[in-house]
Amino acid sequence: MTVTLPWVLRSLAEAGRWLSTPLSPEDYLSLLDPLWPAGELRGRVEELHPETADATTLVIRPGRGWRAHRPGQWARIGVDVEGRRHWRTYSLSSPPHRPDGRITITVKAAPDGFVSRHLVRSLTPGTIVRLAGPDGAFVLPEPVPPRLLFLTAGSGITPVMAMLSGGIAADVVLIHSAPTPQEVIFGDRLRRLAARSPYLRLYERHTRSAGRLRPADLAVLCPDWTQRAVWACGPPQMLDDLAAEWPGPAERLRTERFTEDLHPAGGTAGGRVRFATTGRETDADGATPLLTAGEDAGVLMPSGCRMGVCHTCVAPLRSGRVRDLRSGLVHGEAGDLIQTCVSAAAGPVELEL
Amino acid sequence: MTSTAHLAPGDIEEFGRELDKIREEVLADLGDRDARYIRDVIAVQRKLELGGRVLLLASWLPPAWIAGTAALATAKILENMEIGHNVLHGQWDWMRDPKIHSTTWEWDIVCPAEMWKHSHNFVHHTWTNVLGKDRDIGYSAMRITPEQEWHPVYLAQPFYNVLLALFFEYGIAVYDLELERVPSGEKTPADVLAQLGVLARKVRRQIVKDYVAFPLLAGPAFLPALLANLTANLTRNVWAHAIIFCGHFPAGAEFFTEDRLDGETRGEWYVRQLLGSCNIDGGPLFHVMSGNLGHQIEHHLFPDLPSNRYAEIAPRVRALCDRYGLAYTSASLTRQVGSVWKRVLRLALP
């Protein structure tokens, strides 16, 4: 039986594909259960827990195909806003293997963060999201170093929360920065954890009253900080400062960078265009279609009507923004399919061609 | 063109700019409502198909046969027309959902999406109604305008138009192979062979599904189930053929010569799309079931705007045409089908 079962299952799946062609059986099964398709990993947002005035934890039930993460790793989440799919990366704030099988991410609404604002303010329980991952190297090694220092700021606490809630058998110092005590994400939980555990020392830096933490302050707060293995997560400025003044060996400083979902404005000047697959590069002005720029650079560009009608020329955007030459509108996110015949570079652009 | 003789070149460009404005307004307004529309249509279509397939398992019972066949035929029509045709045009690409995208969609019809996108989206929609460029004029098989030279073979065209209607999905597949471009050297035999391979694989899967797998599942009802699938496919074929022939062949549709393309401006392109296309009047259900191709004019002006928006912009497009004194051809389905057949019959003769 143990030998024949996989064969039976495989045959059933194959029969299902013949019956559902040109679609897949999953396309029909997802009518019954949206979490079913493993071909397109999904999750259902089941609960929303406000953490601070502008941060919320999303409790997500991942669908079939999700593999457990390691504490500190991130997942990508695809959410539809105003009909369009947006992908963002968030650290998982839950420990792996929760008894209820769910995962959490904790999102802080950035003032100009289109997606983060939607997730914190407008999302409703029951929403189906797309998931990718988990991934990321911001994880504790085995065995865990005996003495650790976590340096976090703002929503940089989220991957560390996943590590702490799983329990760490080590001497841990956590130095966390937030503008005010009320704005400390997971403030109550962290304080409770620190009160309970003799091995966790928590120092909160409230930057509105005490000012921003400088690497120089660390020697006072944690005299043996250079002897500890450091995991740091926060805004780019903080990580840059830390890296510049870190006196210890490089391998003992691990950082995780959160970049904001901001897009450079991109004037009408055009920019450097890189064709990632062929490795070719060229400069294109803001009026030249990427199609023409690519052809002139010797890239074999797919093309059709050359007027924005037929969608034969579309190519995935790897990075950068493009301008629609018909409307002048600047748009584009990584993964978008760009109509190269009616789009020009708005700043540096990378295409998967 | 006599129908635009009253317009100065500046007027034509102004007309084009007004159309651009409509397009941009719709694009700026796309959102949840539109996304919900296409997802709902897809969900309804899949449930109809599943329902029809389940009913046909009991297709030895006449009521189950009738209801199952009707559901399956409706599902196939929806899938090909309101969903497949429009998704493959890139009308829903803006949602960035890889499951509803022109680059990933494959439809329930023997012609592979990739082949169809080339001959339809590019060749037909770019060169609409230009003799010698738009292969959709008579589909390289029929004489649809007096400018096409008569040949005795056209005497049989009323007959093979009926055949084409019945086996439309195969007609499209063969047509998209562009066999007539091989002798001229525009296409190599190797290209055709490669496409034939892709086509053969798709045909095999379609045939096995409709005429082997599902009838076998019906067990003792094998034959009624097979006939139900055949009926559903034929119904879809005849319906799609009727709607599509009404797009550019009824009275009022104009044809153009290649010299018109020399330096054709955006405004002139719009005018050609308008004058080469014909609408069909009807209610909301009719428009959904015809893939909104009853709004052929709006579709040809804006091939990649979501189809649910055509009905909304149609009054504005029509008013704009009135203002510029441009013909906007629209009539009932019976009038348009009659008009197409009159043309097919008349032009069979010299």
Side-chain angles (χ1 to χ4, degrees):
Chain A
M1 208 43 207
T2 48
V3 181
T4 53
L5 197 62
W7 177 84
V8 169
L9 284 178
R10 267 205 313 277
S11 310
L12 269 178
E14 181 60 17
R17 276 194 291 277
W18 279 95
L19 291 173
S20 60
T21 189
L23 300 175
S24 76
E26 288 186 341
D27 293 323
Y28 292 94
L29 289 168
S30 67
L31 290 173
L32 306 171
D33 177 4
L35 296 190
W36 180 268
E40 187 193 54
L41 187 57
R42 301 179 189 193
R44 184 192 291 113
V45 179
E46 294 188 331
E47 288 168 31
L48 296 161
H49 300 301
E51 300 286 353
T52 67
D54 55 6
T56 292
T57 291
L58 281 59
V59 183
I60 301 170
R61 178 167 305 285
R64 230 163 51 88
W66 173 262
R67 54 193 169 76
H69 64 287
R70 294 176 64 193
Q73 287 193 309
W74 45 258
R76 281 169 29 82
I77 169 166
V79 58
D80 291 344
V81 190
E82 288 164 22
R84 287 173 181 79
R85 181 141 320 155
H86 297 265
W87 283 91
R88 291 292 184 272
T89 304
Y90 290 104
S91 290
L92 289 151
S93 50
S94 55
H97 305 296
R98 265 168 59 134
D100 62 4
R102 300 189 292 184
I103 55 173
T104 68
I105 59 168
T106 304
V107 181
K108 185 166 184 276
D112 40 8
F114 177 70
V115 175
S116 61
R117 266 201 346 247
H118 173 83
L119 291 175
V120 172
R121 311 254 180 255
S122 317
L123 203 67
T124 50
T127 301
I128 298 293
V129 294
R130 270 66 182 175
L131 296 173
D135 209 342
F138 191 71
V139 292
L140 292 175
E142 280 297 336
V144 178
R147 284 187 299 165
L148 297 173
L149 168 62
F150 291 127
L151 265 177
T152 59
S155 56
I157 186 66
T158 49
V160 171
M161 193 69 234
M163 298 180 188
L164 291 175
S165 14
I168 303 172
D171 170 9
V172 178
V173 176
L174 167 58
I175 300 177
H176 178 67
S177 298
T180 63
Q182 292 75 37
E183 286 171 81
V184 176
I185 298 174
F186 307 127
D188 289 341
R189 273 172 73 189
L190 290 170
R191 286 161 209 145
R192 271 203 312 273
L193 266 177
R196 219 169 44 211
S197 162
Y199 305 106
L200 171 63
R201 196 149 63 80
L202 169 67
Y203 172 80
E204 288 180 44
R205 174 79 163 209
H206 302 131
T207 53
R208 191 150 302 152
S209 49
R212 194 132 59 85
L213 188 80
R214 307 264 159 215
D217 303 332
L218 289 170
V220 182
L221 294 169
C222 180
D224 63 344
W225 74 294
T226 56
Q227 267 93 59
R228 289 177 176 259
V230 180
W231 264 256
C233 183
Q237 184 65 54
M238 171 192 127
L239 298 178
D240 291 343
D241 290 353
L242 183 65
E245 300 193 29
W246 170 249
E251 68 273 10
R252 277 229 304 275
L253 173 66
R254 311 272 196 103
T255 58
E256 181 85 322
R257 237 161 240 274
F258 288 172
T259 45
E260 310 229 337
D261 44 310
L262 298 178
H263 295 297
T268 51
R272 189 87 182 146
V273 184
R274 213 179 91 76
F275 299 90
T277 314
T278 45
R280 286 174 197 266
E281 280 187 46
T282 182
D283 284 311
D285 62 40
T288 305
L290 291 168
L291 173 60
T292 320
E295 286 173 338
D296 292 345
V299 182
L300 202 57
M301 304 285 288
S303 71
C305 66
R306 311 185 82 93
M307 56 188 299
V309 169
C310 76
H311 287 244
T312 306
C313 65
V314 292
L317 185 68
R318 181 178 273 198
S319 67
R321 305 266 282 165
V322 299
R323 175 176 302 96
D324 188 317
L325 289 167
R326 296 167 296 184
S327 61
L329 221 67
V330 175
H331 65 102
E333 281 190 29
D336 281 3
L337 283 156
I338 301 298
Q339 285 178 277
T340 60
C341 72
V342 287
S343 305
V349 169
E350 257 191 310
L351 290 174
E352 306 271 3
L353 271 174
Chain B
M1 291 309 311
T2 49
S3 51
T4 55
H6 61 289
L7 294 176
D11 294 336
I12 290 179
E13 291 325 298
E14 191 49 37
F15 175 71
R17 273 192 291 277
E18 301 240 26
L19 287 173
D20 279 338
K21 219 173 86 197
I22 294 178
R23 182 175 189 279
E24 259 134 52
E25 277 179 36
V26 173
L27 282 180
D29 189 47
L30 292 178
D32 280 333
R33 171 167 75 97
D34 306 272
R36 214 173 311 120
Y37 171 78
I38 190 63
R39 293 213 168 90
D40 285 351
V41 173
I42 290 174
V44 164
Q45 186 273 328
R46 289 181 186 169
K47 286 175 188 164
L48 255 179
E49 187 184 349
L50 276 177
R53 298 272 186 207
V54 168
L55 278 168
L56 290 175
L57 295 177
S59 53
W60 71 88
L61 296 166
W65 191 93
I66 291 169
T69 308
L72 187 58
T74 309
K76 280 180 177 274
I77 287 170
L78 272 179
E79 199 278 346
N80 286 180
M81 304 190 76
E82 181 61 351
I83 304 171
H85 169 267
N86 295 331
V87 169
L88 290 175
H89 260 292
Q91 292 182 6
W92 302 100
D93 287 5
W94 61 274
M95 297 198 305
R96 301 198 284 236
D97 182 345
K99 286 269 179 188
I100 309 177
H101 202 279
S102 64
T103 55
T104 58
W105 194 268
E106 190 52 83
W107 51 355
D108 184 20
I109 177 176
V110 294
C111 181
E114 209 50 51
M115 274 165 65
W116 181 83
K117 277 192 286 184
H118 169 77
S119 69
H120 181 83
N121 288 1
F122 170 37
V123 180
H124 168 58
H125 271 273
T126 309
W127 315 123
T128 311
N129 280 29
V130 175
L131 288 155
K133 294 287 272 184
D134 181 6
R135 299 174 63 251
D136 277 25
I137 301 174
Y139 296 95
S140 323
M142 256 171 279
R143 185 162 176 255
I144 237 57
T145 152
E147 281 95 350
Q148 287 171 285
E149 212 179 309
W150 186 79
H151 186 278
V153 76
Y154 290 130
L155 284 170
Q157 76 176 16
F159 170 70
Y160 57 73
N161 193 30
V162 171
L163 277 186
L164 179 62
L166 286 172
F167 300 101
F168 195 49
E169 62 172 325
Y170 290 92
I172 295 175
V174 171
Y175 168 72
D176 287 349
L177 286 171
E178 306 177 304
L179 295 174
E180 83 281 1
R181 293 178 66 205
V182 175
S184 64
E186 289 170 278
K187 199 164 175 173
T188 68
D191 291 340
V192 175
L193 272 181
Q195 284 189 333
L196 261 178
V198 176
L199 174 59
R201 272 192 294 282
K202 178 126 195 241
V203 170
R204 190 169 68 115
R205 290 193 77 90
Q206 291 292 116
I207 287 184
V208 167
K209 172 177 76 162
D210 283 345
Y211 303 124
V212 181
F214 276 109
L216 277 178
L217 273 185
F222 181 91
L223 203 61
L226 184 148
L227 286 174
N229 275 278
L230 182 68
T231 308
N233 277 327
L234 291 182
T235 307
R236 182 270 323 274
N237 285 350
V238 171
W239 177 253
H241 172 273
I243 296 297
I244 288 162
F245 267 54
C246 288
H248 304 286
F249 305 155
E254 289 184 24
F255 294 89
F256 309 91
T257 48
E258 249 181 85
D259 52 355
R260 186 193 162 93
L261 295 173
D262 288 336
E264 187 181 58
T265 63
R266 178 110 182 118
E268 290 166 340
W269 183 84
Y270 271 133
V271 168
R272 175 160 59 81
Q273 298 299 333
L274 165 71
L275 299 178
S277 308
C278 306
N279 278 6
I280 311 168
D281 302 331
L285 185 64
F286 166 78
H287 285 307
V288 171
M289 290 307 291
S290 55
N292 273 299
L293 290 181
H295 300 297
Q296 189 76 233
I297 292 174
E298 287 72 22
H299 173 55
H300 261 267
L301 294 173
F302 313 113
D304 60 357
L305 283 191
S307 57
N308 61 322
R309 295 290 187 141
Y310 291 153
E312 295 174 22
I313 58 171
R316 293 177 65 188
V317 172
R318 192 164 196 158
L320 194 62
C321 294
D322 284 347
R323 190 139 60 77
Y324 282 83
L326 288 164
Y328 181 101
T329 311
S330 188
S332 70
L333 180 64
T334 40
R335 276 265 310 272
Q336 299 295 53
V337 170
S339 175
V340 169
W341 270 101
K342 223 168 97 187
R343 201 184 269 251
V344 169
L345 291 167
R346 167 63 194 88
L347 292 172
L349 304 169

